[in-house]
Amino acid sequence: MKLSIRQALTLGLLAAGGHGASAQNVSLYGITDAYIGSVRGSESRTVINEGGNALSRLGLRGREDLGGGSSAYFVLEMGLTLDNGTIPIGGGFGRQSFVGIDGRWGAIEAGRQYTPLFFNLLATVPFGMNANWAPVQLSGSTDGQPAAMRTVGLLTRQSNLLRYRYGGGPQAKGLRVDVAVAPDEGATGIGGILGIGASYRGSNYFIGYAAQRLDSGSAAATPFHNETQGLNGSYSLGALTLSAAYLVTDSTAPGARRAAHTVLGAAYDVGPHRWMAEINQRDLSGSPNDALAWALGYDYRLSKRTSLYGRLLNLNNRGTAANTLALAVVNAGSGDDVRALALGIRHNF
């Protein structure tokens, strides 16, 4: 009998868990994504990078049937920088590491996880939430904000998170409700978070709202909090899906400015072909340093797991803004624009 590498690894994990693990369904999964691109910001580069379609990752997940419609499960997921083999996002299982239990009443999960805001946006934006070339990522820019906010950005993943969820995944039909809270454990710089989200997916439409508040500061700095609210939706007309999102980020940090982002998108799917367009307008209150980003994309599905893709991106920094996408180098206060083109491959396993 011949076994694939994935099957062998899964069997090894089950054996390592002992007799009790035999009732579990444990699997290895991941994404490998790499592209060759030309990226121009304050300097021009030809690069081989990862994450043009989706950030690469390696994960383990398992589920055990507890009976009565309930299950226990876990996810351990690390990031991969495919072009050089390193592990980003703090090392280890920095993308996700949580355990949960679910049933007809919903689900409770604890650990490092995505926030409700992430899941709402993931349900609509054409380029997804885990791509370096997605214009929606401009919503996490802290350019033009005081130093206290420059490490915060658009928080879509949080440690020490306890979450209650009612409803299915981002693509499941019906009502979904998320409530998430992380206590302030005394760490400097980042404290507790409270997030809520509600959405409804019908046969050809989606609408959702999410909000979150992050307490920040330290013993050596004045405490402050950042707030983000997002309203988004989509509507499908056969193979064409139109989407929109409006995001507002604000902060009580001294000198902080309110930032509003209007994101519009479209995706057209037919057979193995997928065409995408997305635009994000960033308006920074009381400042000329606004920005406009747009991207065009094409995916060709070679198989169920493998796609070839192309990306074209433009980011116009106004005034002395220094926003960046596609991992372009943009010098602080330069106002330099970003132009980028990439051809890549994504493989799921």
Side-chain angles (χ1 to χ4, degrees):
M1 180 178 65
K2 294 182 179 181
L3 295 176
S4 68
I5 293 176
R6 181 180 180 186
Q7 289 171 326
L9 286 171
T10 300
L11 287 174
L13 288 167
L14 290 172
H19 177 73
S22 62
Q24 284 187 322
N25 176 14
V26 179
S27 61
L28 176 74
Y29 70 94
I31 295 174
T32 49
D33 177 299
Y35 65 86
I36 180 169
S38 174
V39 181
R40 185 181 72 187
S42 296
E43 56 186 68
S44 297
R45 292 180 176 180
T46 298
V47 299
I48 293 180
N49 275 327
E50 68 91 25
N53 184 295
L55 292 173
S56 300
R57 69 205 66 174
L58 177 65
L60 291 169
R61 57 187 167 211
R63 177 174 289 270
E64 180 186 19
D65 185 357
L66 300 176
S70 296
S71 297
Y73 55 94
F74 74 91
V75 173
L76 299 172
E77 185 178 281
M78 65 174 64
L80 297 173
T81 306
L82 200 67
D83 55 319
N84 60 26
T86 58
I87 301 175
I89 317 181
F93 297 108
R95 288 184 60 87
Q96 297 186 81
S97 56
F98 67 87
V99 64
I101 186 169
D102 64 9
R104 297 183 180 90
W105 43 266
I108 295 178
E109 300 160 339
R112 181 165 174 81
Q113 308 171 66
Y114 290 113
T115 65
L117 179 65
F118 171 90
F119 285 108
N120 269 23
L121 291 172
L122 180 65
T124 56
V125 289
F127 287 89
M129 289 295 293
N130 281 304
N132 293 322
W133 292 58
V136 70
Q137 297 293 348
L138 182 62
S139 305
S141 176
T142 56
D143 180 72
Q145 300 287 20
M149 286 187 64
R150 290 178 191 161
T151 59
V152 178
L154 181 65
L155 191 70
T156 55
R157 185 187 285 110
Q158 175 70 10
S159 299
N160 309 313
L161 200 67
L162 179 66
R163 182 174 70 207
Y164 169 76
R165 170 177 51 84
Y166 177 82
Q171 301 304 319
K173 291 183 179 179
L175 176 68
R176 177 185 172 112
V177 176
D178 271 306
V179 180
V181 60
D184 185 347
E185 295 188 343
T188 59
I190 293 193
I193 184 175
L194 174 63
I196 59 171
S199 63
Y200 188 87
R201 180 176 293 279
S203 58
N204 63 339
Y205 67 92
F206 173 93
I207 186 168
Y209 169 81
Q212 61 191 37
R213 169 175 166 155
L214 172 70
D215 295 324
S216 193
S218 67
T222 302
F224 64 93
H225 63 262
N226 301 317
E227 295 180 350
T228 304
Q229 298 184 71
L231 178 65
N232 63 305
S234 64
Y235 189 82
S236 296
L237 299 165
L240 176 65
T241 300
L242 303 176
S243 61
Y246 184 69
L247 296 163
V248 177
T249 60
D250 209 345
S251 176
T252 59
R257 299 179 184 275
R258 178 179 177 270
H261 297 84
T262 303
V263 186
L264 301 176
Y268 184 75
D269 290 274
V270 55
H273 309 282
R274 177 177 172 86
W275 289 269
M276 294 165 289
E278 186 174 309
I279 186 170
N280 187 351
Q281 169 70 51
R282 181 178 194 247
D283 295 310
L284 192 61
S285 177
S287 171
N289 294 350
D290 298 330
L292 177 68
W294 59 261
L296 301 175
Y298 170 71
D299 292 0
Y300 180 76
R301 291 182 284 271
L302 293 172
S303 69
K304 180 180 178 180
R305 298 181 178 277
T306 304
S307 296
L308 300 177
Y309 65 86
R311 296 290 185 266
L312 176 65
L313 180 139
N314 183 88
L315 169 57
N316 176 223
N317 279 311
R318 297 166 183 169
T320 58
N323 301 283
T324 184
L325 288 170
L327 304 178
V329 175
V330 179
N331 296 332
S334 65
D336 291 335
D337 296 334
V338 173
R339 307 282 188 274
L341 174 68
L343 295 174
I345 181 170
R346 166 181 171 166
H347 178 72
N348 298 349
F349 62 91

